[in-house]
Amino acid sequence: MSGFSAYHRRYFSQWRTLDLRYGCDYLSDGALKHQKSARLGVYAVKFGVFGMNVSQRNPTGALRLSVVLVLCGAVLLGCSKKVEEKTEVPNSQIVARVGSDVITTQELDNEYRLARVPAERRKEPALVKQALGELVTRKYMARKALDAKLDREPSVLLDLLRARDIVLAGAAASRDMAEKSSAISKADVDSYIAKNPLKFADRQIASTEQITVPSSAVSQSVIDSVRDMQTLDEVEQKLATLGIAHTRSSGALSSGDVSPELFSLMRDKPTEVFFLRGEPNGVFFKVSGIEKRPLEGDDAIKTARHALQVELLKSEASLARVEANLAAKYEGEYANIMRAEPPAATK
């Protein structure tokens, strides 16, 4: 029976990879369904034939094994056919065919959703051409990958599993956010507005002259080299000497977009050159004027609600990390790594 066990394990492990790792999404793919059905049928027949070969040692056991495996193969073939029948798409929902694959109106609408295209613009020829063209190209390349059996490569399988986890995690986070965002009351919004006067009733807008640079190009040594400069002309000249790409323009900064301490410095020291680092760009800027421009009414309510949602999102993400860490059981060397305290920040 040792020969049978090795043979059985070899085919069973192959079947598990095809069926469990690929999952139902792959079963809905037309050509792969036929390939999968054929493979499963072949495995069942191979098991049955082997059972007959060992029948001389144990005829009853071999016969039982053959019957069970053939029945399993028949059931799996039947399931595959049922999946195929369920995934047939009415012609009215098909917008394009790419070989044996189809692109449906639902897939096209999903592209618009992800690109945040408003419903009233989804019939514009230019947008349709762009979205549908990208969808056709992706579907064509996906079929090419399947025909080349790239979906069986370990790295591709891992990427597919990762993509699935990302989509599911995002869906769970979005659902939780939607439920908790709906609980934000008018009292919450009013309280936020009252606690942040520089964002609303006392909001001020600073007009600026600025130089935009890639944040990755601005090291601490670059900042130190321009620290004592009083004009943007000097800063621009230094950046040119260092070979750092930059553009110069006019801009504006709201008191609600920076810390109260920084805005106070901007107001008290208008001759200073300031630097704000963002992603992907940073700006060297100088204040040319400040005017009071309160944010009130519906605009204030909308802004406050959005700010509360952002705060809630950060809080939920932090809570999810804690809960996940508590639920996880780390193994081997990773247990020690994950238990260790992070190194103290250098001052």
Side-chain angles (χ1 to χ4, degrees):
M1 293 298 287
S2 60
F4 171 75
S5 298
Y7 188 95
H8 181 276
R9 280 197 301 271
R10 181 156 59 92
Y11 279 98
F12 184 71
S13 63
Q14 195 172 357
W15 176 79
R16 281 179 61 85
T17 299
L18 291 169
D19 191 45
L20 301 182
R21 293 293 296 276
Y22 287 176
C24 295
D25 290 342
Y26 287 81
L27 287 174
S28 66
D29 188 275
L32 188 58
K33 283 180 300 190
H34 297 298
Q35 295 172 10
K36 182 178 177 63
S37 299
R39 284 196 298 269
L40 292 171
V42 168
Y43 295 159
V45 170
K46 286 183 178 179
F47 285 137
V49 169
F50 188 86
M52 296 301 292
N53 290 339
V54 299
S55 61
Q56 294 178 355
R57 296 184 181 179
N58 188 351
T60 304
L63 181 60
R64 286 176 182 170
L65 177 63
S66 300
V67 171
V68 169
L69 289 171
V70 170
L71 286 175
C72 287
V75 170
L76 289 167
L77 286 168
C79 290
S80 181
K81 287 179 181 177
K82 287 181 181 178
V83 171
E84 185 174 356
E85 290 171 0
K86 289 179 182 178
T87 55
E88 288 181 358
V89 180
N91 287 332
S92 60
Q93 295 181 15
I94 297 174
V95 297
R97 297 179 187 272
V98 187
S100 61
D101 299 309
V102 298
I103 295 173
T104 66
T105 53
Q106 291 91 339
E107 289 177 285
L108 184 57
D109 286 340
N110 195 49
E111 293 296 305
Y112 289 137
R113 177 184 67 83
L114 293 173
R116 301 191 179 189
V117 177
E120 63 272 14
R121 297 192 58 197
R122 294 184 179 184
K123 294 297 183 182
E124 292 182 14
L127 290 175
V128 172
K129 189 173 182 179
Q130 180 182 351
L132 190 52
E134 290 175 357
L135 198 48
V136 164
T137 302
R138 189 165 71 239
K139 188 77 73 172
Y140 171 80
M141 293 303 295
R143 169 54 54 193
K144 193 173 180 180
L146 288 172
D147 290 344
K149 298 180 173 59
L150 297 181
D151 55 328
R152 301 183 190 181
E153 294 186 0
S155 60
V156 176
L157 282 171
L158 288 172
D159 288 344
L160 289 169
L161 291 171
R162 182 177 185 274
R164 177 179 177 274
D165 286 346
I166 289 173
V167 171
L168 289 173
S174 296
R175 185 194 63 182
D176 292 344
M177 271 296 298
E179 291 175 356
K180 291 177 180 177
S181 293
S182 63
I184 297 175
S185 65
K186 184 179 182 302
D188 296 327
V189 172
D190 291 341
S191 175
Y192 184 85
I193 291 173
K195 290 177 180 177
N196 295 275
L198 282 177
K199 294 184 178 182
F200 300 100
D202 296 335
R203 189 182 70 158
Q204 300 172 65
I205 303 296
S207 300
T208 63
E209 288 295 322
Q210 61 188 38
I211 298 172
T212 304
V213 294
S215 287
S216 58
V218 184
S219 62
Q220 187 59 46
S221 61
V222 172
I223 294 174
D224 291 340
S225 68
V226 301
R227 188 181 300 279
D228 297 326
M229 294 181 179
Q230 298 295 310
T231 68
L232 287 179
D233 290 336
E234 292 176 285
V235 174
E236 190 171 24
Q237 193 173 26
K238 182 66 175 179
L239 293 173
T241 302
L242 295 172
I244 297 175
H246 60 277
T247 57
R248 188 162 175 171
S249 63
S250 298
L253 266 177
S254 167
S255 59
D257 295 334
V258 297
S259 68
E261 294 79 14
L262 176 58
F263 201 83
S264 179
L265 279 174
M266 290 163 53
R267 186 175 53 242
D268 297 340
K269 298 182 177 182
T271 60
E272 292 280 338
V273 174
F274 297 92
F275 178 73
L276 272 179
R277 187 185 297 276
E279 287 299 335
N281 297 320
V283 289
F284 291 96
F285 69 93
K286 194 168 184 177
V287 176
S288 56
I290 295 178
E291 64 173 315
K292 190 170 181 179
R293 202 182 298 173
L295 184 63
E296 300 170 327
D298 290 341
D299 290 339
I301 292 172
K302 205 175 293 184
T303 301
R305 184 172 290 278
H306 179 261
L308 287 169
Q309 289 172 339
V310 170
E311 287 186 0
L312 182 59
L313 180 62
K314 291 178 180 177
S315 174
E316 288 297 307
S318 178
L319 180 60
R321 282 193 294 270
V322 172
E323 290 178 342
N325 196 51
L326 291 173
K329 182 181 179 182
Y330 300 103
E331 302 290 345
E333 63 179 310
Y334 299 102
N336 294 329
I337 293 172
M338 296 305 291
R339 271 200 306 265
E341 291 293 328
T346 56
K347 294 185 179 179

